[in-house]
Amino acid sequence: MDELHELKKAFQEELGTVAGLEDLQKLKAKFSGRKGKVSAHLKKISALPPEKRSQFGSTLNEIKKFIEKEVIQLEASLKAEVQQKRLQTEFLDISLPGRRQLFGREHPINQVLTEAKDIFISMGFDVEDGPEVETDYYNFEALNIPKDHPARDMQDTFYVSEDIVLRTHTSPVQIRVMEKRTPPLRIIAPGKVYRCDADISHTAMFHQIEGLMVDTAIAFSDLKGVLELFIHRLFGKDTPVRFRPSYFPFTEPSAEVDIGCIFCGGSGCRVCKTTGWLEILGAGMVNPKVFEMVGYKIDQYTGFAFGLGIERIAMLKYSIDDIRLFYENDCRFLSQF
Ligand code: PHE
């Protein structure tokens, strides 16, 4: 029994020196392992006189249970300590707000382009395409603008070489389409155009939509009807429309089309320069000289053409006073549309 007493004391003493889980594992093996001290004592039972076996056995059993309980308890508290340390050293501050993902959306110019295209498509117009790097012939000469004609001054041109230009308008697509198709024709040609010009209402690149309708009996009234319908669909059906005489070498007669100022309702303001009207596009009846250039018989066909600037329309529609905003890619601006 003294030995058992010593066993328990030895265990308690060593338990007090355990510094970590590794020590504890060693202690556990030393006392309650298969080759540990408790097992060693168990083996002694059979060598004892029978009357001492029972008490020895039950005391040893109590000590065994005591050891197991102490080991489990200490193991739990050591594990908790380790856990606590990890929680402290591996602390991750997740309170920093995330970076917001910005959503992309269609550029306002593309929105207006799509809207305008859809209106003409609904009236039966086909969409045609042409090159942005264009020959002098298609951009000017075939449109009745000869080399030394003063009308070339209307457009500040980027010349790539003597005979190649960045197209200054979408009108060359009229020629390309008429060269490859025969009337009846009802087309629009949206796209980028280039002029050497830059201020709050001009950028070196901007967008136009060209329109062309040719058949055997197209009249100026058809032009008025199509454009009035277009304007009423785009700006509202009560928008006043006015045709003003103008000049383009490729149309005769030519007109500039104004809408009643959408800012002041026609009474006169800064935007319409107190006239009550805003110019939005150029148009006219196709000049017979242009028909001759593409080989159409001038006594057989008549037609009208028009060209409108998308940036200008977008600026009016959304009350934007500086065209450069469209091309600065500032999300604060772009996300408003
Ligand atoms: N091409 C002309 C311009 O850019 C617009 C226009 C097109 C005028 C068709 C009449 C007919 O100024």
Side-chain angles (χ1 to χ4, degrees), residues 92-109:
L92 183 64
D93 183 357
I94 56 164
S95 64
L96 182 68
R99 294 203 175 94
R100 233 169 217 272
Q101 190 71 43
L102 291 175
F103 286 100
R105 61 178 72 208
E106 200 177 12
H107 193 280
I109 291 302

Side-chain angles (χ1 to χ4, degrees), residues 68-205:
E68 280 166 0
K69 198 186 85 199
E70 289 292 308
V71 166
I72 287 171
Q73 264 177 14
L74 188 58
E75 191 174 26
S77 80
L78 286 173
K79 277 188 177 163
E81 226 172 79
V82 170
Q83 168 100 327
Q84 201 55 38
K85 258 190 205 135
R86 280 191 61 188
L87 283 174
Q88 269 159 16
T89 57
E90 295 174 18
F91 175 69
L92 183 64
D93 183 357
I94 56 164
S95 64
L96 182 68
R99 294 203 175 94
R100 233 169 217 272
Q101 190 71 43
L102 291 175
F103 286 100
R105 61 178 72 208
E106 200 177 12
H107 193 280
I109 291 302
N110 269 338
Q111 288 184 37
V112 174
L113 253 177
T114 305
E115 200 181 339
K117 265 158 67 177
D118 284 349
I119 296 172
F120 287 116
I121 288 169
S122 79
M123 289 192 251
F125 284 77
D126 296 334
V127 180
E128 290 279 356
D129 211 5
E132 289 170 27
V133 182
E134 189 53 285
T135 61
D136 184 277
Y137 176 78
Y138 284 109
N139 197 79
F140 294 122
E141 273 177 67
L143 289 162
N144 193 33
I145 314 173
K147 274 230 181 309
D148 298 311
H149 196 284
R152 289 208 178 190
D153 291 346
M154 287 167 83
Q155 301 174 351
D156 296 298
T157 310
F158 286 113
Y159 281 89
V160 176
S161 66
E162 178 136 348
D163 282 315
I164 310 243
V165 300
L166 297 188
R167 68 176 179 189
T168 56
H169 50 179
T170 41
S171 301
V173 185
Q174 288 185 37
I175 306 298
R176 290 181 174 275
V177 169
M178 286 191 283
E179 276 181 351
K180 66 170 199 255
R181 290 171 59 176
T182 46
L185 280 182
R186 193 157 33 166
I187 63 108
I188 52 165
K192 294 185 171 69
V193 300
Y194 302 84
R195 289 185 200 178
C196 187
D197 207 353
D199 58 38
I200 63 161
S201 53
H202 298 86
T203 45
M205 183 283 299

Side-chain angles (χ1 to χ4, degrees), residues 130-287:
E132 289 170 27
V133 182
E134 189 53 285
T135 61
D136 184 277
Y137 176 78
Y138 284 109
N139 197 79
F140 294 122
E141 273 177 67
L143 289 162
N144 193 33
I145 314 173
K147 274 230 181 309
D148 298 311
H149 196 284
R152 289 208 178 190
D153 291 346
M154 287 167 83
Q155 301 174 351
D156 296 298
T157 310
F158 286 113
Y159 281 89
V160 176
S161 66
E162 178 136 348
D163 282 315
I164 310 243
V165 300
L166 297 188
R167 68 176 179 189
T168 56
H169 50 179
T170 41
S171 301
V173 185
Q174 288 185 37
I175 306 298
R176 290 181 174 275
V177 169
M178 286 191 283
E179 276 181 351
K180 66 170 199 255
R181 290 171 59 176
T182 46
L185 280 182
R186 193 157 33 166
I187 63 108
I188 52 165
K192 294 185 171 69
V193 300
Y194 302 84
R195 289 185 200 178
C196 187
D197 207 353
D199 58 38
I200 63 161
S201 53
H202 298 86
T203 45
M205 183 283 299
F206 61 103
H207 295 80
Q208 284 189 335
I209 293 185
E210 193 77 9
L212 175 69
M213 189 159 170
V214 182
D215 206 339
T216 49
I218 301 293
F220 198 89
S221 54
D222 295 311
L223 171 63
K224 288 192 79 175
V226 165
L227 288 180
E228 271 176 15
L229 191 60
F230 169 73
I231 288 164
H232 287 163
R233 296 267 284 276
L234 199 65
F235 288 102
K237 66 174 168 37
D238 298 322
T239 311
V241 182
R242 161 175 103 165
F243 286 69
R244 228 170 352 94
S246 185
Y247 172 76
F248 297 103
F250 35 93
T251 46
E252 183 60 35
S254 301
E256 255 155 341
V257 180
D258 299 340
I259 59 172
C261 181
I262 49 181
F263 298 101
C264 63
S267 58
C269 68
R270 195 179 60 89
V271 184
C272 62
K273 297 185 184 110
T274 72
T275 62
W277 294 93
L278 299 164
E279 183 198 319
I280 68 155
L281 59 88
M285 301 308 291
V286 178
N287 191 322

Side-chain angles (χ1 to χ4, degrees), residues 309-323:
I310 295 299
E311 277 77 356
R312 169 117 179 114
I313 287 177
M315 288 170 79
L316 295 176
K317 224 174 133 70
Y318 298 123
S319 310
I320 296 161
D321 57 8
D322 187 340
I323 193 172

